[in-house]
Amino acid sequence: MRKRFWMVILGLICSLGLAAWGTCAEVSQGKCLKFEEAGKLITLEEYDTDFSPQNPYGRPTGVTSVYDASGALIGAPPKPGDILRIAYEVKGTQRVALKVMNVTRQDLMKK
Amino acid sequence: MAGKIRGVKNRVLWALGAWSLSLWLLLPDWVWAAGEKATNLVVVADTRRLSGIMKYFANLYNTNTLLFAIWAVVLTALWGAILGFLMDFLMQRTGLDLKSRKIVEH
């Protein structure tokens, strides 16, 4: 009985692991340079992961990227200057955003 | 005459009832209108510095919330079972056998 119970648990865990196969997204964080409301295109200046008290969100890398957020779940509307965190998938040459978090307007660390 | 007065009374009561009901239904709208327009609270887990199982769960949170919720349920149940077995083991060590309970009260 106990063996059967553990087999069921193991099977469930394996199937959950398999179900998650292929669901993978990159994350980037940085300063919003431009947000086109019509096409939902976000231009972001990427920040690195070198966090410090002076740079709590990382340091600017100078690299800019454009994200297509037309199908993304967007929190507080991004404005130029806001720090954004974007989960995205790369499709061809395009970065397609899945979720956009406005870190400036909903910083959980401040609460 | 009495019937006419009763009719007017009924109509006034109906009007008052309808007015109270509309007030009751509109109340949440007025309360909402008082505050700022609410926006979605979207949280993205930062997976850039994570690895292993933590990265797996953070990534799942970003991409598949349903599967993440199922995992939460499974892990909570698993944790409950582990604690249950552990407690059984500890109680057995103290001499209390909880598996075969005899009713001694009667």
Side-chain angles (χ1 to χ4, degrees), chain A residues 35-42 66-74 86-87 91 94-100:
Chain A
F35 176 53
E36 288 171 35
E37 195 79 52
K40 299 267 183 202
L41 285 177
I42 298 171
V66 178
Y67 296 87
D68 174 13
S70 53
L73 192 65
I74 303 175
I86 302 175
K91 285 183 181 165
Q94 211 178 17
R95 290 181 172 202
V96 179
L98 303 171
K99 278 164 108 180
V100 179

Side-chain angles (χ1 to χ4, degrees), chain A residues 29-108:
Chain A
Q29 184 168 286
K31 190 167 78 175
C32 176
L33 298 178
K34 202 165 76 176
F35 176 53
E36 288 171 35
E37 195 79 52
K40 299 267 183 202
L41 285 177
I42 298 171
T43 309
L44 195 80
E45 183 188 6
E46 311 270 347
Y47 281 17
D48 63 11
T49 54
D50 196 5
F51 307 124
S52 65
Q54 290 81 30
N55 301 296
Y57 304 117
R59 290 181 309 179
T61 58
V63 178
T64 57
S65 310
V66 178
Y67 296 87
D68 174 13
S70 53
L73 192 65
I74 303 175
K79 285 183 184 153
D82 284 354
I83 301 294
L84 305 180
R85 189 181 295 159
I86 302 175
Y88 67 94
E89 280 176 334
V90 179
K91 285 183 181 165
T93 55
Q94 211 178 17
R95 290 181 172 202
V96 179
L98 303 171
K99 278 164 108 180
V100 179
M101 176 184 180
N102 194 328
V103 179
T104 305
R105 290 172 205 281
Q106 53 182 73
D107 193 346
L108 302 175

